[in-house]
Amino acid sequence: MPAVRRRPACACLVLTTPEGYSINRIVVRGTNWVGDAVMTIPALRSVRRLFTNAHITMVSKSSAADIFIDADFVDEVLVYDRAGLGSMWAQTREWRRRKFDLGILFQNAFEAAAMAFLERVPIRIGYDTERRGFLLTHPLASPSWKDERHETFYYLNIVAEVERPLFGTSSVAIEEPQFALAVSASRQAEAVTLLRLHGSRGEGPLVILCPGSINSRAKRWPAERYGQLADRLIETGFAVALIGSPGEVDVSQQVLQNMRRQPIVLTGKTTVAEAAAIISIGDLLITNDTGPAHIGAALSTPTLVIFGPTNPLTTRPFGGVGEIIRERPDCAPCMLRDCPIDHRCMTAITPDAVFERASALISNRLKAGLRTESIA
């Protein structure tokens, strides 16, 4: 067992292992939301690079687990949807059977630390949130820059605090985050079939719209504007598909009520894995600041994110293919889930402005010869 020393939450880690000890089995407790799960990908890739031969188990809610179906940086995804104490005890038995050597907690919940503690995972590292520090062998203070840098670095920082004492290096802290996410050719073929089953004729570039947002109504660009945008895209010769979770069906219905044309409607009809595959074969994704925005960027699909009440410094799409469109009023970013006034951060953004940006992005893609052949 590694020799560990408990200390108050700090910005650095004191961790040593006896000669001959190796970390062979790692459990990573993932985040709950799809977008947050995508933002942990660089940290997960760093864990794999540091522990090349270790078996890495990702623990995730079912809603986010699909993100990791084709991932080459984890060995196993263990789905955990808490439904009372019974499900928690069943999960702890799964942990016990695997005999983990190291637990990395990206999730900030008390329960995540409690589970690692109960199963006596020898090294348990995560942020000292929800007063859970006493359950961790290595509680970390939240970094002072948390609200000033992309959230990706919040998760990478945990891995950096594992690397320094165990390897004597600081590569995680200085290397460019590796965000790439893969979708297999078979899943892409299934996505093409799904699009055709719902009315796609494979004509014109495919533009995917995600007009909803599960955890914040304030993040939604008005449905009537999505409708106006979708009509104009279709009339210009683009194929338009609406995506979203079952909880966002009402938003897509509002978009349809404000349209003259008929898009491909997939909202509530796909899993997260299927939605990701559809995004991977799209020519452009237009979305609010929600999970698909990060999926699109990770899949290298051109992504245009309509920003309002949230902070693009921390949650913008990461990488070169993601862009944001924003008309910031004095009250933004407020981070509120419901706007208490007139939603000016979103209503200031016009369909014409979004259409112009979208047209430019698609034009650049076509000029580069990057249109997806499978749906051409």
Side-chain angles (χ1 to χ4, degrees):
M1 179 177 293
V4 296
R5 285 199 288 122
R6 285 287 316 285
R7 61 180 293 174
C10 63
C12 58
L13 182 69
V14 178
L15 188 156
T16 58
T17 57
E19 186 176 353
Y21 181 85
S22 60
I23 293 175
N24 298 312
R25 303 188 69 84
I26 300 171
V27 59
V28 179
R29 182 63 184 270
T31 56
N32 289 340
W33 296 103
V34 170
D36 292 342
V38 177
M39 288 189 281
T40 67
I41 288 174
L44 287 164
R45 287 193 174 279
S46 291
V47 173
R48 167 55 70 206
R49 180 176 57 77
L50 292 174
F51 300 95
T52 307
N53 298 317
H55 185 278
I56 301 174
T57 298
M58 181 74 182
V59 177
S60 172
K61 288 184 68 173
S62 58
S63 56
D66 280 1
I67 292 296
F68 305 105
I69 285 179
D70 290 322
D72 59 0
F73 44 84
V74 297
D75 298 290
E76 173 187 29
V77 179
L78 190 59
V79 174
Y80 174 49
D81 289 315
R82 185 179 179 186
L85 287 175
S87 61
M88 180 178 176
W89 289 120
Q91 182 72 191
T92 57
R93 286 195 296 271
E94 292 292 332
W95 287 41
R96 184 179 307 127
R97 184 169 65 84
R98 286 164 175 79
K99 298 180 179 178
F100 296 119
D101 304 304
L102 168 64
I104 299 173
L105 309 182
F106 291 150
Q107 191 190 59
N108 285 330
F110 183 92
E111 181 203 46
M115 192 174 295
F117 175 83
L118 289 171
E119 290 316 308
R120 296 190 174 94
V121 178
I123 306 173
R124 306 179 297 276
I125 180 170
Y127 288 114
D128 187 5
T129 52
E130 296 195 0
R131 299 182 180 180
R132 66 180 191 169
F134 72 99
L135 297 172
L136 302 171
T137 57
H138 299 85
L140 298 174
S142 182
S144 60
W145 44 258
K146 183 180 185 302
D147 296 326
E148 300 170 2
R149 300 183 69 190
H150 198 275
E151 197 159 327
T152 294
F153 296 103
Y154 181 70
Y155 303 114
L156 278 167
N157 184 58
I158 300 175
V159 183
E161 293 299 343
V162 173
E163 180 192 16
R164 288 189 188 99
L166 286 183
F167 298 93
T169 56
S170 300
S171 62
V172 173
I174 61 175
E175 288 184 353
E176 184 70 18
Q178 300 301 309
F179 229 102
L181 187 63
V183 171
S184 66
S186 62
R187 285 174 59 200
Q188 289 185 326
E190 291 168 0
V192 172
T193 299
L194 188 59
L195 284 164
R196 289 174 177 162
L197 285 173
H198 288 84
S200 171
R201 292 174 295 182
E203 298 177 357
L206 176 62
V207 180
I208 302 161
L209 305 184
C210 182
S213 172
I214 285 292
N215 63 352
S216 170
R217 284 181 290 273
K219 290 198 293 187
R220 297 175 185 172
W221 194 45
E224 63 270 18
R225 300 198 177 190
Y226 266 110
Q228 294 168 30
L229 173 66
D231 274 338
R232 190 167 176 187
L233 289 166
I234 293 171
E235 290 164 359
T236 306
F238 302 143
V240 172
L242 302 182
I243 64 168
S245 69
E248 297 165 314
V249 169
D250 60 331
V251 182
S252 284
Q253 287 300 317
Q254 292 170 28
V255 173
L256 290 170
Q257 290 167 10
N258 286 277
M259 289 186 66
R260 300 182 304 274
R261 305 288 184 172
Q262 180 60 46
I264 304 161
V265 182
L266 293 171
T267 310
K269 300 176 183 178
T270 66
T271 63
V272 172
E274 290 169 334
I278 291 166
I279 291 170
S280 76
I281 61 173
D283 293 290
L284 176 65
L285 169 67
I286 303 175
T287 176
N288 302 320
D289 177 23
T290 188
H294 303 287
I295 294 175
L299 292 172
S300 295
T301 297
T303 300
L304 180 59
V305 186
I306 303 170
F307 259 86
T310 47
N311 185 0
L313 282 177
T314 58
T315 61
R316 71 187 187 278
F318 201 92
V321 299
E323 295 189 12
I324 69 170
I325 185 165
R326 187 186 191 209
E327 293 291 341
R328 179 185 174 183
D330 292 340
C331 54
C334 67
M335 309 303 291
L336 297 176
R337 296 191 175 191
D338 288 286
C339 179
I341 48 175
D342 55 10
H343 210 196
R344 64 189 64 174
C345 61
M346 284 302 205
T347 58
I349 301 170
T350 66
D352 285 346
V354 178
F355 178 81
E356 288 173 9
R357 290 284 292 277
S359 297
L361 287 168
I362 293 175
S363 177
N364 291 338
R365 182 172 174 82
L366 296 179
K367 286 177 182 177
L370 295 176
R371 191 186 170 203
T372 307
E373 292 297 329
S374 60
I375 58 172

